[in-house]
Amino acid sequence: MMPKIVDEQMREATRQHILHEAAKEFARLGFDQANINLIAEKAGIGKGTIYLYFENKRELFLAMLRFIAQSQLAAIRGALAQHGNLQMRLEQLFLAFVRLAEKESDSFNVYMSALYGVNRAFRTEATKLLRDYVAVIALVLEEAQVRGEIRVRNIDTTALMVLSLTESFILSARVLGQSEQTLVTQASQTAQFIMQGFVASV
């Protein structure tokens, strides 16, 4: 029984390693220009090994997007599950995105490019992740509304605004060369700004 479990763990570890290396290449070159041979070389495996896990480059890209979705959603859910009022949880959401943009920059960039950039052929898959993000944030806003912290007319629209403000701010700040440390110091101010928007919309 044990060898089978070990084999499955090793197989999953190899699969994740391939996905990480693929994210680097897709982020650097886009789907069309990325090369399976190069991904295999960077992963330290033979080209044939990749095809044991993924049927073709398209399947590899889709698997990578889904892997990104799972890990990023886990990070977002973890941030919003923190105790505290809504402003504190929004601050944690901002910090989670900062960490994703810095520590998982290739994955973050590939996802963004699937929505807005060179990998737009995969926008449908990326849009599912966007909807999941909005749903998770909407749930937290609903809870805050029940507690009387905020009053908003449309929870889903407000959740999309929160996501857009947070994500686009971090993307723009990174383009301008702001460091992770600088962004971390802006978490509280950003959460406060969003909360003021709730008050103004009442």
Side-chain angles (χ1 to χ4, degrees):
M1 189 72 178
M2 185 63 76
K4 186 177 179 183
I5 294 171
V6 172
D7 284 348
E8 286 173 0
Q9 289 173 340
M10 286 180 66
R11 181 176 169 80
E12 182 57 25
T14 301
R15 183 177 180 277
Q16 290 188 22
H17 181 56
I18 293 169
L19 292 173
H20 278 295
E21 291 303 326
K24 292 178 187 176
E25 287 305 299
F26 287 129
R28 189 170 70 90
L29 297 171
F31 175 78
D32 291 332
Q33 298 300 317
N35 186 289
I36 287 278
N37 291 337
L38 196 54
I39 292 170
E41 186 182 317
K42 298 273 187 179
I45 58 176
K47 177 183 175 182
T49 305
I50 286 188
Y51 291 112
L52 293 175
Y53 292 85
F54 310 100
E55 190 175 335
N56 51 43
K57 187 165 75 166
R58 180 179 176 80
E59 286 303 311
L60 172 58
F61 192 92
L62 284 170
M64 182 203 59
L65 270 185
R66 289 167 189 145
F67 180 71
I68 290 169
Q70 290 169 1
S71 60
Q72 291 193 359
L73 270 173
I76 300 311
R77 284 194 179 104
L80 291 172
Q82 302 292 319
H83 294 296
N85 59 28
L86 180 59
Q87 184 170 323
M88 292 166 68
R89 293 167 94 181
L90 290 173
E91 190 173 331
Q92 289 303 314
L93 175 68
F94 183 90
L95 290 171
F97 271 113
V98 169
R99 285 190 292 270
L100 286 171
E102 184 65 27
K103 303 289 189 296
E104 300 290 336
S105 60
D106 292 320
S107 296
F108 193 77
N109 292 338
V110 166
Y111 164 61
M112 286 299 159
S113 72
L115 275 176
Y116 311 115
V118 295
N119 296 312
R120 279 178 291 180
F122 297 90
R123 184 182 284 175
T124 301
E125 196 69 28
T127 301
K128 290 178 187 174
L129 175 56
L130 183 63
R131 288 199 180 100
D132 287 341
Y133 275 172
V134 172
V136 170
I137 295 170
L139 188 60
V140 171
L141 296 181
E142 281 176 7
E143 291 170 0
Q145 183 135 296
V146 168
R147 290 195 301 268
E149 288 185 71
I150 57 170
R151 282 170 54 202
V152 294
R153 293 184 185 89
N154 189 308
I155 291 286
D156 287 338
T157 299
T158 307
L160 182 57
M161 286 180 183
V162 170
L163 175 63
S164 300
L165 279 167
T166 305
E167 221 173 28
S168 61
F169 180 90
I170 292 166
L171 276 171
S172 299
R174 281 173 56 80
V175 169
L176 290 171
Q178 291 192 17
S179 67
E180 179 184 11
Q181 188 176 3
T182 301
L183 281 168
V184 165
T185 64
Q186 294 165 355
S188 178
Q189 183 182 350
T190 306
Q192 194 173 3
F193 176 80
I194 294 171
M195 289 299 296
Q196 286 170 352
F198 290 141
V199 173
S201 67
V202 173

